Amino acid sequence: MRDDSVGFAAVSSLPVDPQWSAVTMAVAHPNVPPGTPVEITALDTGRTILALVVARDTSRAVVSLSPATAQALGVGDRAPVRVRAVVASPQDQTALRAGQAASARLDAPPALLTALRRKVPMPQGTPAVPRAVPAKAPMPKAPAPKPLAKPKPAPVPSIPVPSTAGGFVVQVAALSSAERAAAMAHALGGHVVPLGRLFRVQLGPFGDKASAQRARDGAARHGYGDAQILHTD
């Protein structure tokens, strides 16, 4: 079954059948049956994640998110989102059912976000814009304002990269946004390694693989189940 729609999400505790009790990236959907993977995109930022439908949604929201899903997506209640049913890989479905995050999805491109935002329904109670405005007596023209100087772009936050003499690092994610990468690294106690147009979030280095594995398991418990251990030599 395919379903693709945009609207406002709700954030609430979901009524979950015992078979879905381990799922953390959980949503309730009005049309898509439980057990179906869905891709959710935040229309404010373009961030996209994979979640699992665990219940039917009886609210008027386009989708209801569990608190953990909303946190992973970086949205709050009444945030505009796109939700669509997708065919997920067996590895992603296994991770979602085990309470882990699926593999990272690419951010939605700006052109797609612009098109999707136009489809978001107007909230009820919003006054309609009148079709025509009665003619009024002409007002004297005010002097044209002076053009404002363009603000300088804010510097990209940076996190010092430690020496890689340990032998092992844990790569948590590779993001296209330097700010998001820096925020993720700060939250996990890691660092950012730029690579072309991507910014890799890494933990370590570690002197042995066992230490790296413990760090990787900790990242997975925070929702980054696709974190990998890399050898630095």
Side-chain angles (χ1 to χ4, degrees), residues 73-142:
L73 192 60
V75 301
D77 195 50
R78 299 291 298 166
V81 300
R82 177 197 194 187
V83 55
R84 63 186 186 120
V86 296
V87 177
S89 68
Q91 294 84 354
D92 281 342
Q93 294 197 48
T94 299
L96 289 173
R97 292 169 186 265
Q100 300 175 359
S103 57
R105 320 298 269 193
L106 294 176
D107 292 350
L112 176 60
L113 288 176
T114 299
L116 292 174
R117 287 166 185 158
R118 295 195 183 104
K119 298 180 180 180
V120 177
M122 182 179 296
Q124 293 184 356
T126 303
V129 178
R131 292 178 178 271
V133 178
K136 295 182 180 180
M139 298 292 291
K141 293 184 177 180

Side-chain angles (χ1 to χ4, degrees), residues 140-226:
K141 293 184 177 180
K146 296 182 179 180
L148 299 176
K150 293 183 178 180
K152 295 182 179 180
V156 175
S158 61
I159 295 179
V161 180
S163 169
T164 58
F168 297 93
V169 295
V170 176
Q171 182 160 308
V172 180
L175 306 178
S176 58
S177 167
E179 289 80 2
R180 280 182 49 204
M184 182 186 296
H186 179 74
L188 296 175
H191 58 274
V192 178
V193 179
L195 179 64
R197 296 186 177 181
L198 295 177
F199 300 87
R200 298 179 296 177
V201 179
Q202 296 184 349
L203 308 177
F206 302 96
D208 56 82
K209 194 169 184 179
S211 299
Q213 184 65 48
R214 287 193 294 271
R216 189 264 171 212
D217 294 342
R221 286 193 296 272
H222 283 80
Y224 303 100
D226 56 332

Side-chain angles (χ1 to χ4, degrees), residues 3-79:
D3 189 282
D4 190 342
S5 53
V6 296
F8 296 99
V11 180
S12 62
S13 298
L14 306 180
V16 180
D17 187 275
Q19 65 176 317
W20 311 118
S21 60
V23 179
T24 56
M25 297 297 104
V27 302
H29 196 285
N31 304 319
V32 178
T36 305
V38 291
E39 192 177 73
I40 308 172
T41 299
L43 299 189
D44 290 337
T45 63
R47 178 165 174 74
T48 302
I49 65 171
L50 198 66
L52 193 70
V53 178
V54 299
R56 291 282 190 178
D57 190 4
T58 58
S59 71
R60 294 185 179 181
V62 70
V63 67
S64 289
L65 313 175
S66 69
T69 305
Q71 183 178 7
L73 192 60
V75 301
D77 195 50
R78 299 291 298 166

